[in-house]
Each structure stands twice: as C-alpha cells, then as structure tokens.
C-alpha cells in the first residue's frame, strides 16, 4: 500500500507517434503477463474467499456475519477507523503544511519520523505500547492506580492503529504541496486574507484530491491492520476483537465458512474503498493533469 | 471552478452514502438480532424466576467475567460458560456473562502479567500460572485452592496420524525413523508442547535405564524431525490438518479427537503410544483483579462448578478426561487407559522441569537449533 500506484489516464501515452512505440506483439505480451499475473495472485485468492464463504449456503453466511461477536468486531473496526482516520487526517495536513510551506531546522528528521511506521514491523508497533502502557511498563502502574486501561482495551487498539496509519495522509500531501509551492498563499496573503481564510479558500481546494486519496488509503489500512492490533488486543471476544482478528479466531476454530464469510465482509469494504479511490483518481486526473509522485 | 466543486461534492456525497449504508446495515442487523434474542432471554428469565423465587428480592447487577485460557479449550468453554451462566442465574438470580480469550498458554500468561484483566485463568500448565504469581497478581497458594491440584480435568498427549497410518507410527521411537516428519508447537510458548517434550523425555529415560544423556540424544533427534514450530497447539493442528504438513502430530488428546470430529474420521486416526504423560491443565482465580473488580465470589464459583457433575460431563464431552469417577466411568470407551508419567513424581514438579528444560540456556535451547 505504501507504494500505491497513481494512474494518470492522460491521453498522451496512446497518442505517441507510431515509430517510437513498441510493436504490437510486445505490447500484447506485456499486457497479457500483467493480467495473468494479477488474475493468479490477486483475483483467484479473492474469488476463493467468496466461494468458501458461500460453501455452506446463504443461511450460514448471514448467520456468521450477524452473530453478536462478528457484529461487535465490525463495530470495533468501524470505531477504530472513525477515530484513527480523522486524527491522522488532521495531523497529516498540519505536518504537510509545516513541511512544505515553512523552512525550519530538522525538517528532514520530521519527514523521516513520519515514514517510521512504514519501516517498522507491525509487531513492534504493538509491542512498544505494551512496553509503555502494560502493567509492567513505564506508565503501567501509574495508569493502573487510576483505573485507566489502555492496553488490551479499545484505547490501545486505537493507538496502535493510529501509529501504523500515520504516514498515509502526510505522505500523500507533502509532495503535492511542495510541487504547488507557496505562491498562491502569498498572493492571497498580499490581498489581505487571514490564516484560516487562506487555508479554506486556497490551500484546501488545491489539495483536496490528494487529501481524499490519502484518507481512503489510511482508512483501508486502519480497518485491515492485523499485526499491531493483535499484540495489544488481548483477544477478548465480543470486546477487543477487530474484524481481522475475528477472522483468525473463526479459522482456528474450524469454522471455515464463517471465517471466510467475515473475510468477505472485509474484502467488500476494501472493494468499496478501491472504487471510491478510482473515482477520486479519475476525477482528479480529469481536471488537473499535474504530475503527482507517490 | 464551479465544475470542480460539483465533482468534489459528488465524491463526498458518495462517501457519505457508503458510510450511511454501512451504518444502516449494521443497525438493521442489530435490531434483527435483538428480536431473535428476546424470546430466548425471556424464556431464561421466567425459567430462573420459576426455580428461584427469592432471588427476585435482591436482583444483583449483571456481572462480567474474563476467562483467559489456552488454545484448545475454545469449544469446552463455549459449552461450559453457557451451563455456568444458567446455573448461576438459577442459584443467585444474577446474570453473568463470561468473555473468553484464547492463545498459546505461555503467551496468555504473559498478557495477564502485562495487564490483561483476567478474573480467572485456565491455562495449560502450572508453570504459566506460577509466572503470574510473581508480579503479585495471584496468591502463591493458588494450587491448593481447588481440589486435585486445581486441575478440574486432565488430558494426555497422543499421536494423530494420517488415515491408514502410512508411516507405521506406533510409539515414540517410530518418530525418529527416517523421513518421518513430526509436528509439535514450540515448547517456549506453548504449554502443550512442553507436555509433548516431557513425554518424549520420559519415554527415552525409561528405554535407556534412566540415562539422561541418552534421553537428551533422543529428544534432540526428535526435534530434528520437526519442520515447523508453531507458537500454540491450535496453530500446529492447523499446520498438520489444514496445510497437510508432516506425518504425525503430537497433540493433546482432546485436540486430536476434535480434529477427527471436525474434519472427518476418514482422514486421520489416533495412535496411543506405550507411555505418555498425565497433563493437568490448572485453573486459578486472579486474586488482585477479582478483589479490585469485586468479582471474587462469582469467579470462585465459576471455577468450582467445573468440578460439579455437569461441569465434568461437559469436560468429558469435549474430550477432556474428567476427574470425577462417576463421570469417568461413563466415558471409559472414549478414554483409553494407558501408562502415564506425572509431572510431580517423574519430573519433580513444574518449577524444576521448567528450569532444567525450557528456561533460557536449558536443555531445549541446547538441542534445538532452528533450521538444522
């Protein structure tokens, strides 16, 4: 996900003069390889999720996704996404703004820090919170005295999810805002616009597609995160299980149809996300053929 | 500019629609669920009221327990929790809900130490509960709190092989034959794996007239036949059963029965070795947490009820060997009698076994080098 590809459906590529394009067989060979590879590696396994999910009939399918533990997992997943995504959106915009519009010392360190969650393994992302907030951790005893439960409860899951999804929005916006420069904001300021006015009327309209794109990717990861959440969850059924964890539990309990049914829910959430993403790309490509790096 | 705005707006509206749909779907499911649940709840309520009239006078607020358990007890506690809730409601009129958490025994113990608020722990072996004693969460005398060393059911280690036993595995020494692949979890994280390991050790000691060096050689050879070490018993079962890796799975007896039941007797069969080990998975109340939460009474009753006729019956139905003789008598066909070593007599208790074999720098560290 980190290296998500941005497609630019500029007509230019297909309009290139004949003598500098590859011959037809090469073109079809390449397309064929790409399609075959995706079919084998991506489509086939995804399709098998749905086949398995409906193996024992629609009744079992509906039962497994409406069962209280599954619903509570769905609810928790949505709650976590609803907190993690806005938090990271606000942070991402603020960080991107700071990095692209101001000059200050340690800017590169800040960028590196934003990238850090991509670089560390999710298990570590979970363990750092256990070390920090666990009963034997630095802050554990202090929190315990006050009856605050962070690890093995919803706050821990939210924290771990926020941690792994930090880079998405910021990473999407920084190159975009750097490319746009500060001229428009300066122009607005010289015409007497105030800070917030500049943000709402100039900056936000310029970055909105990139922002939306980052939010969508961030959301996809927030709902799908397994490793980090698994470490801090405590796996209490109906309480601290998110959808990905619930799928694993069902699978381990020989309830294959049920586990694939819940998995298909997650796949559908992902498909909706991808459709929205494509629309965003298409719309933004349509109106602004500015080259965007990811 | 105007066009841009409408495009953006349409996407935002679409997003909002998706969210609303998702919320509606969930709401719909919830209400549907409530409706289906209602008659059952009412039924239970009238039932309880009928059996225990005085309970009405002082309806205690509903209470919730968290049982942190190890891997293979999932099915057992689903059944037992339901039975106990009914029993408790009839007895006291109080509604009790038991939440479950499962995983490798050592890992689960670690989670409780790190702050998972378990009212009771039901783990694979005493050592993992002793570990929770150390930070002061459980009183040191936990093992004497309930009968039978606080182990309400026992189990043993058996071999699960593929149908027809193609490699002809009958006893422990068949496991180190050429080209036999053995599946067992990691003794560092899994309780079941530690029982597996000790059973093998005990067998080798006996075969070689208590020669420890020979026993170590045997166990070292055995682990050379292990292609994958999963972290918990259920993971190993899935490796063997689902992914089709290995020729024999060293498994809890209950886990072996369960996989045969769930996945078909036409695929696997159980082999009883000449000698195995008496596994006693113990239970304990987490003293500090029940005192903080005020759940001691119900938590103790919860574990005590495991020893009741009904509790024992549920254990036996889930392929745990009951300790009640009357219940055991009913299941003699299911549980084959075999020679069993015990941890206390043959290994000097868990503390000693743990330090000698599984602690850092112990025998297991010496014999097992990953990838060899």
């Amino acid at each position: 996900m980190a290296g998500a590809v941005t497609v630019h459906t500029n007509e230019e590529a297909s309009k290139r003069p004949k003598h500098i394009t590859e011959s037809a067989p090469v073109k079809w060979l390449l397309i064929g390889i790409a399609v075959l590879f995706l079919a084998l590696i991506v489509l086939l396994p995804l399709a098998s999720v749905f086949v398995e999910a409906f193996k024992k009939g629609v009744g079992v399918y509906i039962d497994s996704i409406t069962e209280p533990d599954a619903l509570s997992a769905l609810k928790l997943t949505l709650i976590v996404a609803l907190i993690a995504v806005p938090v990271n959106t606000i942070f991402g915009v603020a960080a991107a703004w700071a990095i692209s519009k101001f000059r200050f010392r340690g800017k590169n360190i800040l960028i590196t820090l934003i990238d850090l969650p991509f670089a560390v393994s999710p298990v570590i992302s979970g363990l750092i919170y256990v070390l920090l907030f666990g009963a034997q951790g630095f802050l554990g005893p202090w929190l315990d005295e006050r009856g605050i439960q962070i690890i093995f409860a919803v706050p821990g899951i939210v924290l771990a999810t926020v941690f792994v999804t930090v880079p998405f929005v910021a990473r999407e916006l920084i190159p975009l805002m750097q490319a746009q420069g500060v001229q428009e904001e300066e122009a607005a300021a010289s015409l007497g616009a105030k800070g917030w006015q500049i943000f709402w009327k100039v900056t936000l309209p310029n970055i909105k597609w990139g922002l939306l794109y980052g939010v969508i990717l961030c959301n996809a990861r927030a709902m799908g995160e397994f490793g980090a959440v698994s470490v801090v969850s405590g796996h209490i059924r109906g309480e601290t299980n998110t959808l990905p964890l619930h799928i694993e539990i069902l699978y381990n309990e020989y309830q294959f149809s049920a586990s694939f049914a819940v998995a298909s829910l997650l796949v559908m959430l992902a498909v909706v996300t991808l459709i929205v993403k494509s629309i965003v790309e298409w719309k933004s490509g349509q109106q602004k053929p500015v080259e965007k790096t990811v | 500019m105007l066009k841009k705005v409408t495009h953006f707006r349409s996407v935002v509206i679409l997003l909002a629609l998706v969210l609303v749909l998702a919320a509606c779907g969930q709401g719909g499911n919830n209400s549907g669920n409530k409706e289906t649940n209602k008659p059952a709840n009412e039924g239970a309520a009238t039932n309880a009221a009928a059996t225990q009239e005085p309970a009405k006078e002082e309806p205690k607020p509903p209470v919730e327990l968290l049982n942190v358990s190890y891997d293979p007890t999932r099915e057992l506690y689903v059944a037992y929790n339901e039975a106990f809730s009914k029993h408790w409601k009839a007895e006291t009129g109080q509604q009790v809900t038991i939440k479950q958490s499962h995983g490798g025994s050592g890992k689960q113990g670690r989670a409780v130490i790190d702050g998972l608020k378990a009212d009771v722990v039901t783990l694979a072996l005493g050592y993992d509960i002793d570990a929770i004693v150390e930070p002061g969460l459980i009183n040191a005398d936990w093992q004497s709190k309930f009968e039978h060393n606080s182990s309400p059911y026992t189990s043993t280690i058996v071999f699960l092989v593929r149908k027809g036993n193609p490699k002809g595995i009958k006893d422990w020494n068949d496991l180190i034959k050429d080209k036999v692949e053995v599946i067992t979890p990691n003794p560092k994280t899994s309780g079941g794996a530690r029982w597996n390991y000790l059973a093998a050790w005990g067998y080798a000691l006996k075969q070689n007239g208590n020669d420890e060096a020979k026993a170590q050689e045997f166990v070292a050879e055995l682990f050379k036949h292990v292609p994958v070490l999963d972290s918990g018993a259920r993971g190993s079962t899935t490796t063997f059963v689902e992914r089709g890796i290995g020729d024999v799975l060293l498994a809890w007896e209950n886990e072996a029965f369960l996989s045969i039941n769930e996945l078909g007797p036409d695929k696997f069969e159980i082999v009883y070795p000449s000698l195995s080990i008496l596994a006693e998975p113990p239970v304990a109340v987490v003293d500090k947490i029940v005192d903080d939460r005020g759940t001691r009474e119900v938590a103790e009753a919860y574990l005590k009820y495991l020893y009741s006729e009904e509790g024992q019956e549920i254990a036996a139905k889930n392929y745990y060997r009951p300790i009640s003789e009357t219940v055991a008598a009913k299941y003699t066909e299911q549980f084959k009698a075999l020679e069993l070593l015990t941890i206390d007599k043959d290994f000097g208790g868990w503390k000693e076994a743990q330090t000698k074999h599984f602690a850092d720098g112990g025998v297991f560290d010496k014999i097992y080098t990953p990838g060899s």
Side-chain angles (χ1 to χ4, degrees):
Chain A
M1 254 181 277
V5 190
T6 322
V7 187
H8 289 284
T9 39
N10 295 342
E11 298 292 299
E12 289 154 38
S14 44
K15 277 189 203 153
R16 277 191 294 173
K18 271 228 168 102
H19 61 276
I20 60 161
T21 55
E22 298 75 16
S23 62
V26 173
K27 177 176 138 196
W28 289 112
L29 185 73
L30 286 175
I31 294 175
I33 290 174
V35 169
L36 195 72
F37 182 81
L38 283 179
L40 272 177
I41 302 294
V42 180
L43 279 183
L44 197 69
L46 280 183
S48 72
V49 167
F50 286 92
V51 172
E52 279 288 332
F54 285 104
K55 218 176 190 174
K56 287 194 183 152
V58 182
V60 172
Y61 182 86
I62 291 173
D63 282 351
S64 12
I65 58 174
T66 53
E67 174 238 356
D69 282 349
L71 283 180
S72 111
L74 178 65
K75 203 169 127 199
L76 181 61
T77 302
L78 291 177
I79 290 174
V80 169
L82 276 176
I83 301 175
V85 173
V87 164
N88 275 327
T89 306
I90 293 167
F91 165 77
V93 172
W97 180 293
I99 286 166
S100 58
K101 312 275 177 187
F102 303 124
R103 302 173 62 177
F104 57 94
R105 264 166 196 245
K107 195 191 251 188
N108 282 328
I109 298 174
L110 189 60
I111 298 179
T112 312
L113 277 180
I114 291 172
D115 278 340
L116 195 67
F118 272 159
V120 299
S121 155
V123 177
I124 300 181
S125 318
L127 275 180
I128 48 172
Y129 289 107
V130 175
L131 289 178
L132 206 56
F133 301 115
Q136 313 298 316
F138 298 119
L139 299 172
W142 187 86
L143 290 166
D144 204 43
E145 273 169 34
R146 282 151 190 81
I148 304 169
Q149 177 87 1
I150 290 191
I151 240 60
F152 307 122
V154 178
I157 298 173
V158 171
L159 273 178
T161 308
V162 168
F163 181 89
V164 291
T165 53
V166 156
F168 287 94
V169 173
R171 258 289 154 216
E172 193 65 31
L173 289 182
I174 292 168
L176 182 67
M177 290 170 85
Q178 272 174 339
Q180 284 170 350
V182 291
Q183 293 93 331
E184 290 189 34
E185 278 86 357
E186 278 170 359
S190 73
L191 292 172
K194 302 251 161 31
W196 280 112
Q197 244 175 333
I198 297 177
F199 176 75
W200 288 111
K201 298 240 164 100
V202 180
T203 311
L204 191 63
N206 275 335
I207 61 165
K208 64 189 176 193
W209 294 109
L211 179 62
L212 203 52
Y213 187 81
V215 166
I216 289 165
L217 285 182
C218 179
N219 183 54
R221 179 67 187 269
M223 291 194 297
E225 177 58 25
F226 176 82
V229 168
S230 171
V231 176
V232 296
S233 139
H235 305 274
I236 308 168
R237 291 181 156 215
E239 211 172 295
T240 62
N241 258 337
T242 60
L243 278 184
L245 299 181
H246 190 62
I247 292 167
E248 194 209 16
I249 285 189
L250 291 173
Y251 184 79
N252 277 343
E253 285 177 2
Y254 303 105
Q255 302 183 40
F256 303 121
S257 291
S259 89
F260 284 108
V262 179
S264 74
L265 261 189
L266 211 52
V267 172
M268 283 191 279
L269 284 176
V271 169
V272 169
T273 307
L274 281 181
I275 290 172
V276 177
K277 179 189 141 227
S278 311
I279 294 172
V280 169
E281 266 167 6
W282 176 60
K283 294 281 185 194
S284 65
Q286 224 179 21
Q287 56 169 284
K288 193 177 270 187
V290 170
E291 205 49 54
K292 187 169 61 170
T293 45
V294 177
Chain B
M1 185 63 202
L2 193 71
K3 213 182 163 200
K4 269 190 206 175
V5 172
T6 47
H7 276 322
F8 184 68
R9 215 171 261 169
S10 59
V11 171
V12 170
I13 289 172
L14 194 88
L15 264 176
L17 254 175
V18 168
L19 275 177
V20 168
L21 271 178
C24 282
Q26 215 208 339
N29 287 340
N30 261 342
S31 58
N33 214 39
K34 262 178 209 151
E35 268 163 26
T36 48
N37 268 344
K38 229 181 184 175
N41 274 342
E42 272 169 23
T46 46
N47 243 344
T51 44
Q52 193 80 359
E53 275 288 89
K56 257 187 168 176
E57 292 166 14
E58 197 197 335
K60 286 192 203 162
V63 65
E64 216 177 84
L65 290 182
L66 174 60
N67 176 2
V68 171
S69 193
Y70 63 112
D71 251 335
T73 57
R74 298 161 192 257
E75 292 76 13
L76 165 68
Y77 280 110
V78 168
Y80 176 73
N81 290 348
E82 204 189 320
F84 177 74
S85 287
K86 259 190 209 147
H87 162 78
W88 188 249
K89 177 108 197 184
E91 194 103 309
T92 66
Q94 189 181 28
Q95 183 82 38
V96 57
T97 322
I98 298 113
K99 302 253 172 186
Q100 285 294 141
S101 168
H102 295 276
S105 184
K107 189 184 115 194
Q108 292 292 83
R110 182 73 235 174
V112 174
I113 294 171
D114 280 333
L116 183 58
K117 298 267 182 259
D119 297 278
V120 297
V121 286
T122 52
L123 295 178
L125 42 87
Y127 184 79
D128 291 330
I129 297 186
D130 282 333
I132 310 174
V133 170
E134 244 155 75
L137 292 170
I138 295 178
N139 297 340
D141 61 344
W142 64 270
Q143 201 142 30
S144 58
K145 286 279 172 65
F146 298 95
E147 287 166 56
H148 205 263
N149 281 335
S150 288
S151 304
Y153 38 75
T154 67
S155 191
T156 186
I157 300 300
V158 299
F159 301 165
L160 189 70
V161 296
R162 303 199 184 275
K163 190 74 192 173
N165 199 355
K167 295 273 165 108
I169 292 158
K170 295 206 177 62
D171 208 347
W172 292 97
N173 52 357
D174 295 323
L175 300 181
I176 56 166
K177 277 187 187 161
D178 260 1
K179 289 186 185 148
V180 172
E181 282 192 335
V182 183
I183 303 295
T184 169
N186 187 346
K188 290 272 183 183
T189 52
S190 155
R194 274 173 264 175
W195 292 112
N196 292 345
Y197 171 103
L198 289 179
W201 182 273
Y203 169 85
L205 267 189
K206 209 167 173 208
Q207 291 290 304
N208 297 301
N210 285 331
D211 185 342
E212 291 233 337
K214 288 261 171 67
Q216 185 164 332
E217 228 168 74
F218 176 82
V219 178
E221 185 60 34
L222 175 63
F223 274 89
K224 283 194 186 131
H225 287 254
V226 180
V228 207
L229 279 184
D230 287 286
S231 70
R234 196 46 73 83
S236 280
T237 312
T238 330
T239 298
F240 181 75
V241 167
E242 286 291 307
R243 292 164 59 198
I245 296 176
D247 303 301
V248 51
L249 171 74
L250 307 186
W252 291 99
E253 185 181 39
N254 53 286
E255 190 76 358
F257 270 119
L258 187 72
S259 13
I260 288 188
N261 251 23
E262 293 284 339
L263 302 150
D266 50 327
K267 290 192 189 128
F268 307 99
E269 54 188 77
I270 292 176
V271 171
Y272 284 91
S274 66
L275 170 93
S276 192
I277 191 162
L278 178 71
E280 298 175 300
V283 300
V285 166
V286 185
D287 296 284
K288 185 166 179 288
I289 288 165
V290 293
D291 289 341
D292 282 356
R293 296 189 59 221
T295 47
R296 177 175 285 281
E297 190 195 358
V298 56
E300 276 172 357
Y302 175 73
L303 293 184
K304 199 149 184 258
Y305 196 64
L306 280 167
Y307 292 87
S308 71
E309 179 98 15
E310 190 184 14
Q312 292 287 301
E313 190 81 36
I314 291 171
K317 277 202 191 111
N318 286 282
Y319 315 111
Y320 283 86
R321 297 186 172 217
I323 53 160
S324 145
E325 279 171 20
T326 47
V327 177
K330 283 194 236 167
Y331 288 88
T332 42
E333 292 218 343
Q334 183 171 310
F335 299 115
K336 205 181 155 203
L338 72 164
E339 195 187 338
L340 297 173
L341 303 166
T342 70
I343 188 77
D344 288 333
K345 262 187 238 145
D346 299 281
F347 297 94
W350 264 114
K351 268 230 163 83
E352 201 180 316
Q354 179 78 21
T355 331
K356 181 168 171 189
H357 294 281
F358 309 117
D360 281 339
V363 177
F364 181 72
D365 276 346
K366 278 180 211 142
I367 61 160
Y368 187 74
T369 31
S372 67

